[in-house]
Amino acid sequence: MKSYLTLFLSIILFTSCLKDDVSCTPQTEDDIIEYIESKELATTESDSGLHYIIENEGTGKAATENSVVDIKYKAHLLNGTDNGESESSILNLETLIPGLSEGIQLLKEGGKATLIIPSELAFGETGNSSGSIPCGTVLIFEIELIAVHDDYDAQNEAAILKYIDDNNLEATKTESGLYYVVNNEGTGEIPTSNSSVTVAYKGYFLNGTVFDESTVSGATFGLNQVIAGWTEGLQLFKEGGDGVLLIPYSLGYGEYGQGTIPGYSVLAFDVKLISVND
């Protein structure tokens, strides 16, 4: 699977954009029609101006404007330039450009479609904030709606519980939703939420893919400067202690993610609290 987060989430999907002072000649409906005719496509146009082809409507749950969905996609421009692809992207329809949100709602789980999104339903005459989508650009998405989630908190919870069961872990859940395993409680000082600590750690997704790892000597940081799951979780150990933190997205990087971490991700960390540096 290709990494999608930087290219797709930060560049293509979200509605925020800048550069209001940039002028351009936007691609028009005539450009879209020319593309459709050149490809001999049989499209339908919605009232908003979205052009689409439903390859397969799907048979599962239908997406709504408030849904969190898992989609597979390929994106490109009218001239054929690729703009990324993903085998699985977890997205909140409320955060997407209007054309993509509308198009996904035409499908049920298992459905496939091609969307031709005019610029006014994408990034308009400003383009996106990074500059990778020029002003006035028509976007084309080939999408498959894999799943619709009305409550992704429950989805995270189910994934964590399955991971615990599959790995025969003895985990405890806190009121916030954090799960943790104490292999060794430790014998030294207990950090507070404002402590500076040195921690050796390895971060990975539930499929085992490692996304970050410290050296054996650890990394030093303030517990008031990290994700909520770390601030809470490290306070469950004393110096010398070690264990596992299983962090739902709400205590991690949320619905948008960060860097190489996709939105809605459960994060697992093997941690060893080397020292409290207060």
Side-chain angles (χ1 to χ4, degrees):
M1 180 176 68
K2 294 190 177 181
S3 174
Y4 67 86
L5 194 63
T6 300
L7 181 61
F8 191 56
L9 296 184
S10 299
I11 295 176
I12 297 178
L13 296 182
F14 298 117
T15 58
S16 60
C17 52
L18 304 173
K19 299 183 288 191
D20 293 334
D21 59 341
V22 174
S23 61
C24 70
T25 302
Q27 293 176 316
T28 67
E29 179 74 5
D30 288 341
D31 294 311
I32 293 175
I33 296 301
E34 181 181 350
Y35 175 85
I36 290 171
E37 291 178 350
S38 70
K39 300 294 184 180
E40 298 183 344
L41 303 176
T43 63
T44 300
E45 183 177 2
S46 73
D47 291 341
S48 71
L50 174 71
H51 293 260
Y52 62 91
I53 303 167
I54 304 296
E55 179 182 337
N56 174 15
E57 184 182 44
T59 58
K61 185 186 300 183
T64 70
E65 62 183 5
N66 300 313
S67 294
V68 174
V69 298
D70 186 356
I71 68 166
K72 177 180 179 180
Y73 80 91
K74 291 183 179 180
H76 55 94
L77 308 183
L78 286 182
N79 64 7
T81 300
D82 290 335
N83 265 285
E85 63 182 281
S86 173
E87 294 293 326
S88 176
S89 297
I90 308 297
L91 306 167
N92 186 330
L93 293 196
E94 292 182 325
T95 68
L96 306 186
I97 56 175
L100 188 57
S101 178
E102 178 184 351
I104 291 171
Q105 292 176 68
L106 298 171
L107 301 175
K108 299 176 182 178
E109 290 173 323
K112 297 181 180 180
T114 298
L115 310 177
I116 304 174
I117 304 174
S119 65
E120 59 267 26
L121 297 178
F123 291 97
E125 295 183 8
T126 61
N128 67 344
S129 58
S130 72
S132 62
I133 303 297
C135 56
T137 299
V138 173
L139 301 176
I140 302 172
F141 284 90
E142 299 171 23
I143 62 171
E144 178 180 352
L145 180 57
I146 299 171
V148 176
H149 306 290
D150 294 327
D151 181 359
Y152 211 76
D153 290 340
Q155 188 75 13
N156 260 206
E157 177 87 359
I160 291 172
L161 290 174
K162 183 177 186 302
Y163 182 84
I164 290 169
D165 184 60
D166 289 347
N167 291 276
N168 298 313
L169 300 177
E170 294 185 8
T172 302
K173 182 183 179 182
T174 71
E175 291 185 1
S176 71
L178 172 72
Y179 283 83
Y180 67 95
V181 178
V182 176
N183 296 328
N184 173 20
E185 183 180 356
T187 57
E189 185 177 348
I190 300 174
T192 71
S193 61
N194 295 312
S195 292
S196 170
V197 295
T198 300
V199 180
Y201 67 90
K202 179 171 71 173
Y204 49 96
F205 302 118
L206 296 187
N207 65 6
T209 300
V210 175
F211 58 80
D212 193 14
E213 188 169 7
S214 74
T215 63
V216 174
S217 59
T220 299
F221 46 82
L223 287 185
N224 58 359
Q225 299 174 323
V226 293
I227 57 175
W230 265 62
T231 302
E232 179 182 2
L234 268 297
Q235 294 178 74
L236 300 170
F237 299 91
K238 300 175 182 178
E239 286 179 319
D242 66 85
V244 180
L245 304 178
L246 299 171
I247 302 175
Y249 82 93
S250 57
L251 300 175
Y253 290 101
E255 61 187 277
Y256 301 118
Q258 181 171 301
T260 59
I261 298 174
Y264 295 100
S265 294
V266 175
L267 306 178
F269 288 92
D270 296 335
V271 296
K272 180 177 182 179
L273 179 56
I274 296 172
S275 66
V276 178
N277 306 318
D278 297 341

